[in-house]
Amino acid sequence: MKANVGMDLLYKAILSLKNEDECAKFLEDLCTPQELQSISQRLKVAEMLRGGKNYNAIVEETSASTATISRVNKTLTYQTAGGYEIVFERLESGK
């Protein structure tokens, strides 16, 4: 079995959503509350790291473990996909 079975369907499904309400409904159906919490926490951690916040401030505000913060920091620093940057640039520009 391929590790990425259904990934193309997931990407297409996300791209088909028209607004935040549709996105919330889809993600609530698709993910457990814990999965949604983990995903949203990682995104918040990435935002805070980009904003220059230190680990202690991030732990205090998000309750994320230092391991999670470190993992997100490594992604921001070393991985080349650039997904976080795409999202943050678009959020900042309003597009």
Side-chain angles (χ1 to χ4, degrees), residues 42-53:
R42 286 193 298 271
L43 186 59
K44 183 63 179 175
V45 166
E47 177 186 55
M48 295 178 77
L49 286 167
R50 283 182 82 242
K53 299 285 183 170

Side-chain angles (χ1 to χ4, degrees), residues 20-37:
E20 284 184 42
D21 184 56
E22 288 183 3
C23 185
K25 288 176 181 176
F26 176 67
L27 290 176
E28 286 173 21
D29 284 349
L30 183 67
C31 300
T32 66
Q34 181 59 44
E35 289 167 335
L36 284 174
Q37 174 62 30

Side-chain angles (χ1 to χ4, degrees), residues 2-14:
K2 289 172 45 176
N4 63 354
V5 170
M7 291 301 288
D8 57 338
L9 179 60
L10 176 61
Y11 301 151
K12 289 175 185 174
I14 291 170

